[in-house]
Structure formats: C-alpha cells, structure tokens
Amino acid sequence: MKRWVALLAVVAMGVLAGCGGQSQKPAASSQPASGSQQQPAAQGGGEKVIKIGLIAPLTGDVKTFGESTKNGFLLALEQAGFKAGDYKIEYTIADDRNDATEGVNIATKMITQDKVKAIVGSVTSKVTIPVSEIANQNKVVLVTGTATNPKVTVGEDGKRKPFAFRACFIDPFQGTVGARFALDNLKVKTAAIIYDKGNDYTVGLAQFFKEAFEKGGGKVVAEETYTEKDTDFSAILTKVAQAKPEMLYLPDYYQKVSLIGKQAKEKGLNVPMMGGDGWDSAELDYQALAGGYFTNHYSSDDPREEVQKFVKDYQGKYGSKPDALAALAYDATNILLEGIRRANSDDTEKIREAIQGLKDFGTVSGKVTFDQNGNPIKPAVILQVQPDKTQKYIATVNP
C-alpha cells in the first residue's frame, strides 16, 4: 500500500498544474473555482492564522455525502466564528469525486502549496486511506468524519498513523452490531452477503458481519461479489435466491444498494435487507429498500439537547434535516477546532496530542474519547427505511 501511495503522490505532484477540479482562485477572491472553494486570506495586522482543508466528493457517485459533509464543516466553522484559541481559521475546500487518485492529488496540493496544517475528510474509506498516508507522512492532522475502515488510522504494517483520527465508529463494531441485530431482533439464522470486492468499505463490513453472524450461531449461505461498474445483478441474485437466505446483507453505498434492492425484489427475494451507514442518503431508493435496516451514527430524532440544537441550526441554514454525514463532518470539524484551541498553536504535533487527549468531548454523535488507534468509543443506532422517505429510529447499541 505504501509503495502504491508513494507512486500516487509522485503522479499527483506531476499533474497538479492540470488538475482542474482543485485549481483555486486567488485567496482574495470571494468566488469559488469549480470544484473548490477558498476563504479570503487574513488582511495583515499580525493576526495568527492557521489554514485547514476539507476534502469531500462534491461530484460523482456519492455526491450527496460530499454535500452534507461540506454543510456540516461550514456550519461548525461559522458557529466557532472561524476562530480556535488565538488563531483565525482559513479554509479551502476541494472535490475528490470519490476517486482515490484525485484525493491524493488534492491532499498533496493542500499540503505542499496551500500549506494547510490539518485536513477534515475525506468521506469514503477508499479515498481516505491513501489520503491519510499522505497526511501522516507530512505530519498534517487529519480528522475524517465518516471513513470507517480500520486502515484509515492503522497502516498495512499494523502501526498507528499518529496524525489520523476519525469522528465515526469503525467497521468491526458496525458489522458486529448489524449481525447481533439480525440474530436477536430479526430472529434469522441464515443470511446472504453481496458486496463490491474492490471497495475496502464493503469488503470490511462484509467480513466483520460474517464473522459476528456465524460466531453468534447464524450461517452465511451465499456470498457473492461484484465490481464498481456493475449495474446488472441478476446472475448473482439468481444464485442467492437458490440458497434461500432469511435476509440479505448489503454493505455498500446508497446508489448500488438501491439497484440491488430493486432487482432482488424483482427476483422474488422478499426477505429483510440490512446494511451499513452507506445507506444514509436522500437519494436512496426508499421504495425498494422499505422495511430494511441500517446501522448509523446518529438519529435526528435523538432527544438530546445537543442533537436537537444541531438539527435546528442546520435546518435554519440549509432548509433540510441533517443526515449522519453532515453530523459527523460537524463533529470532525469541532474535534479539530478543539484540538487547535487546546494546543493554542499551529504546531501540528501539539494539535495531534491535544486531540488524542480528549476525554468525553461532547459531539452530536456522542461523547468522544479516543482509543490508542484514533478511533472514538461511541454507540451506534439502528434505523429502518420507511416508504415515505423517512428513517425510523429503532435502537441504540453501545460498544
């Protein structure tokens, strides 16, 4: 992985000049370039300034994730008055299109040209894993809101990436929670798993669900894979139907899950479906997935005061209820701001140490204390998809 990332970094350095999606307007401009946005620079006066970046998929197959992430990031900065400690916060935003090479290009540019001290993002694990390598190698603090694969904060060699953190729980916990819910609440004993064999997120969730499901007494009777570009799943669904599972586990993002769910019902597979936090999007096919369940990081129906204040503020600014992507970006940004505030320095080693030392730090998705690998210890919620395009809160599951 490291050699691959290093190669991507070299490629990135060579193509930055032609990387139209990340080109930025001069700092003094208030008009964002296509695919990027940069805050006007501080105007003299000796003011202390620290630059941070946001990397998110604002276009591409999971663009709703990126839009929500950008909204949560900007709301947190606005509420902080674009300040942390004695430092004014300047930011730049860029679109990775949910492409790992593009993510590395952007991270390299932010670090070497924009001179950012910290990055919030990216969103998906397949982009954030190589981005976290670049950030860690350059001692730039990275806090992702939503990348759940363990390899975001721990390298292939098993060593901790000390500058990488996340605001979300990780896939081993999410897969285990899904398996326990299937066994204890859905009362099923057999399951089929269908996943993208080229995506770290789906591979990881499939693996952790299977391990926990079979450890709990269940049996996975069918396990089928596909590739990112596939849109016709009739062949693998025919195999799955022949195995007669009592449920389907679909650990992918909303677009692919919507296609599979619809085609499964057309095949007569009318069994409960379940997945992970990748289902959380307004563009999920709510009719095809109606009645299905997914694990997630927060519910807008949570009555806690901090949750309801966030929901109210977000709705007031953007006119819609925040999804988990928005909540976690908001949390990740506030975690970073708190680290800068406590360090009261632009020294990234001091910021990293301050974040690692947070104890029961209040966020929308729960109180955060980091473990030795930069992962927050926090609960998960189970939500059920409703045909009226809403999500019903079912349960909270603690670690």
Side-chain angles (χ1 to χ4, degrees):
M1 173 64 78
K2 280 189 172 181
R3 292 178 61 187
W4 175 72
V5 171
L7 177 60
L8 288 178
V10 171
V11 172
M13 293 296 290
V15 302
L16 282 174
C19 197
Q22 288 71 53
S23 64
Q24 295 173 341
K25 291 275 189 180
S29 172
S30 61
Q31 297 300 313
S34 175
S36 68
Q37 180 175 329
Q38 190 162 1
Q39 187 185 29
Q43 300 299 313
E47 186 175 24
K48 293 181 179 178
V49 175
I50 186 168
K51 294 183 178 180
I52 67 173
L54 172 70
I55 301 176
L58 301 174
T59 60
D61 61 334
V62 291
K63 62 182 174 61
T64 70
F65 290 174
E67 291 164 356
S68 295
T69 296
K70 178 182 174 183
N71 290 346
F73 172 78
L74 290 175
L75 180 61
L77 290 182
E78 181 178 295
Q79 291 182 343
F82 299 93
K83 292 275 292 184
D86 293 335
Y87 286 80
K88 173 184 172 65
I89 305 295
E90 290 187 356
Y91 67 85
T92 183
I93 298 174
D95 173 18
D96 64 30
R97 305 197 302 266
N98 196 30
D99 180 270
T101 301
E102 191 70 2
V104 169
N105 289 344
I106 291 168
T108 304
K109 180 180 182 298
M110 283 185 174
I111 293 168
T112 61
Q113 295 186 24
D114 300 329
K115 306 297 183 185
V116 301
K117 297 289 188 178
I119 293 171
V120 174
S122 182
V123 171
T124 65
S125 293
K126 72 174 186 178
V127 177
T128 310
I129 290 169
V131 167
S132 69
E133 293 279 356
I134 299 296
N136 195 62
Q137 289 165 9
N138 288 277
K139 296 186 177 181
V140 168
V141 176
L142 178 140
V143 187
T144 173
T146 49
T148 48
N149 190 282
K151 288 186 285 188
V152 169
T153 62
V154 177
E156 292 283 354
D157 58 1
K159 293 182 179 177
R160 167 87 163 93
K161 302 173 189 175
F163 287 84
F165 298 88
R166 75 181 97 220
C168 54
F169 49 64
I170 56 176
D171 288 336
F173 175 60
Q174 182 173 200
T176 299
V177 167
R180 290 308 319 172
F181 183 80
L183 291 165
D184 297 342
N185 296 75
L186 300 182
K187 306 294 185 185
V188 299
K189 292 297 183 183
T190 61
I193 305 174
I194 306 173
Y195 62 96
D196 179 351
K197 62 183 179 183
N199 185 323
D200 287 321
Y201 167 74
T202 68
V203 171
L205 265 186
Q207 172 194 339
F208 299 125
F209 175 87
K210 181 180 180 180
E211 289 176 359
F213 190 71
E214 294 193 332
K215 185 178 180 181
K219 183 178 181 180
V220 174
V221 294
E223 193 170 358
E224 298 292 336
T225 63
Y226 52 86
T227 66
E228 182 181 10
K229 294 183 178 179
D230 289 345
T231 57
D232 181 356
F233 304 96
S234 57
I236 61 176
L237 286 169
T238 296
K239 293 181 182 178
V240 168
Q242 291 171 347
K244 299 180 178 179
E246 295 176 275
M247 68 162 290
L248 296 181
Y249 189 65
L250 308 175
D252 207 337
Y253 306 129
Y254 59 92
Q255 284 190 337
K256 201 69 79 180
V257 164
S258 295
L259 289 174
I260 297 172
K262 185 176 182 179
Q263 293 177 29
K265 287 193 173 178
E266 290 171 352
K267 285 282 184 185
L269 268 166
N270 293 310
V271 296
M273 301 183 197
M274 188 170 189
D277 53 343
W279 286 31
D280 191 8
S281 171
E283 294 187 6
L284 183 77
D285 187 334
Y286 279 76
Q287 289 297 325
L289 277 302
Y293 300 89
F294 66 99
T295 43
N296 210 0
H297 305 264
Y298 113 115
S299 168
S300 61
D301 295 329
D302 188 329
R304 286 186 296 131
E305 181 179 350
E306 54 267 46
V307 175
Q308 291 310 307
K309 181 182 185 307
F310 166 68
V311 171
K312 180 181 178 182
D313 292 345
Y314 189 97
Q315 282 185 299
K317 183 174 178 62
Y318 301 111
S320 62
K321 274 192 175 182
D323 57 19
L325 282 298
L328 289 171
Y330 181 81
D331 287 350
T333 307
N334 278 318
I335 287 169
L336 174 59
L337 293 178
E338 183 66 12
I340 296 172
R341 189 176 296 116
R342 292 191 183 197
N344 205 22
S345 168
D346 62 356
D347 183 329
T348 58
E349 180 65 41
K350 292 180 179 178
I351 296 170
R352 181 198 71 77
E353 290 176 354
I355 293 175
Q356 184 66 56
L358 292 177
K359 304 291 184 187
D360 292 331
F361 178 64
T363 70
V364 170
S365 57
K367 292 184 177 179
V368 167
T369 298
F370 287 102
D371 68 11
Q372 70 276 16
N373 289 326
N375 305 314
I377 303 167
K378 59 199 300 188
V381 298
I382 303 290
L383 302 176
Q384 186 182 38
V385 178
Q386 304 296 304
D388 62 355
K389 301 199 72 170
T390 61
Q391 302 166 0
K392 181 181 179 181
Y393 168 77
I394 301 297
T396 296
V397 182
N398 289 304

